[in-house]
Amino acid sequence: MATRTAARQRAEAAAEYDAFLAQCPSRELLARISDKWVALVLAALRTDGSHRFGADCAGTPRPMRYSELSRLLAGVSQKMLTQTLRSLERDGLVTRTATPTVPVTVTYELTDLGFSLHEMMRGLKTWAERHLDDVHAHRATYDARPD
């Protein structure tokens, strides 16, 4: 009987992931990355800092301080931003670097894994911005229908 390495066992298990099945562990990750603050943090962490309507969050990867992210993400509470950043760090999507200054400077930056997800989130953000008027028009038509 041949023995399998741990890496081989993980690869075989990953080949069997199917998010349509209720017990699939990939659902937990899907739930995490579908959160609006996760999507916006991931989009924000790779920007050139210029945010205007229609901007696609392009630019070179760069670290951002907590306060920069907080200002950029209008409406996010301190608690929610902290929780989001911690969960992204735990999942390996973001790195946190503390520099010993007075006060301590903390920056967040996308990892390679985070950058791969950023590309999709940027597309989702752009789609939402471009098609919001269409969705509003469809909602109005739907809501005006007689029951």
Side-chain angles (χ1 to χ4, degrees):
M1 178 171 161
T3 59
R4 295 179 298 166
T5 65
R8 176 81 176 150
Q9 289 174 349
R10 284 191 304 274
E12 288 172 5
E16 297 174 11
Y17 291 155
D18 182 353
F20 289 120
L21 299 175
Q23 299 79 18
C24 184
S26 65
R27 280 195 174 191
E28 178 188 342
L29 182 57
L30 202 52
R32 166 84 39 95
I33 63 176
S34 64
D35 177 81
K36 76 174 175 184
W37 295 119
V38 167
L40 292 172
V41 166
L42 289 173
L45 280 172
R46 187 174 186 263
T47 64
D48 61 7
S50 63
H51 288 277
R52 60 198 179 283
F53 180 75
D56 66 355
C57 295
T60 57
R62 70 178 187 93
M64 290 182 79
R65 294 185 66 178
Y66 182 94
S67 59
E68 285 182 278
L69 286 167
S70 182
R71 280 191 304 274
L72 187 60
L73 301 172
V76 68
S77 68
Q78 181 177 349
K79 178 182 177 183
M80 185 53 64
L81 182 55
T82 298
Q83 287 176 348
T84 300
L85 288 167
R86 283 184 183 160
S87 70
L88 291 172
E89 183 181 10
R90 181 175 182 244
D91 290 342
L93 302 172
V94 166
T95 57
R96 178 185 185 271
T97 304
T99 307
T101 57
V102 179
V104 173
T105 303
V106 177
T107 57
Y108 297 89
E109 188 170 15
L110 291 173
T111 62
D112 289 342
L113 184 61
F115 178 72
S116 69
L117 182 56
H118 160 80
E119 294 294 311
M120 287 184 271
M121 292 303 187
R122 183 179 71 183
L124 185 59
K125 175 189 168 287
T126 300
W127 182 91
E129 292 168 345
R130 288 185 182 154
H131 297 285
L132 183 59
D133 291 338
D134 297 330
V135 170
H136 282 167
H138 285 284
R139 287 178 182 173
T141 301
Y142 181 91
D143 293 343
R145 292 187 329 197
D147 286 335

